[in-house]
Amino acid sequence: MSRAFVKEDGPDNTPLPDLPISPHPNLVTPRGLADLQARLLATQARLRALRAREDRLDRLPEAAAERDIRYLEARIASAILIDPAAQPLDEVAFGLAVTVEDEAGRRTVWEITGEDEAQATARRIAPQAPLARALMGARLGEKVVWTRPAGEVTLTVTGIAHPE
């Protein structure tokens, strides 16, 4: 198809709406900040590759990369870096690894990380998560109640450590 028949101002040329930014303070660990920076560099490289394509009829991938870059730049600019190694281990706080034991004796280790770094399958939770809110400020040996949709669970804090 000739470029003469391609509409230049179509819907794929308009910027995509920005991704939502959390209203919460953007606490990050050094690992979380490094991950945001690496994602930004990778997305910028992807955008350069997309712009270098010979056939650029579909501009939607470029618009998506530009949107992602805006999001990542905003998250990096608003980052509040907290080094877990500098946190005291007397109570559960942001950046620390917390070992809890449930009523059945099962132990689980959770790490409280920034929102962009949170990943439940890796046992990393954001400070705004119900479990993190229940744990924050708890001391070794203290019992906390985690309110979940399936019901309340009582957990005992059995360890507080700097993450590995």
Side-chain angles (χ1 to χ4, degrees), residues 40-55:
L40 176 60
L41 290 174
T43 306
Q44 289 169 332
R46 187 172 76 239
L47 180 58
R48 283 191 301 277
L50 288 167
R51 287 181 175 161
R53 295 177 299 170
E54 232 178 89
D55 175 12

Side-chain angles (χ1 to χ4, degrees), residues 101 134 138-139 141-145 154-157:
E101 186 175 305
R139 296 183 175 278
E142 190 173 330
K143 292 187 183 304
V144 298
V145 177
T154 300
L155 302 170
T156 304
V157 177

Side-chain angles (χ1 to χ4, degrees), residues 100 110 112 125-136 144 146-147 155:
V100 294
W110 294 95
I112 302 173
I125 55 175
Q128 297 79 24
L131 176 56
R133 288 194 320 261
L135 291 170
M136 296 286 272
V144 298
W146 175 21
T147 304
L155 302 170

Side-chain angles (χ1 to χ4, degrees), residues 74-93:
R75 294 301 283 172
I76 291 168
S78 67
I80 302 167
L81 182 62
I82 297 180
D83 185 1
Q87 296 282 55
L89 299 177
D90 56 343
E91 68 180 37
V92 178

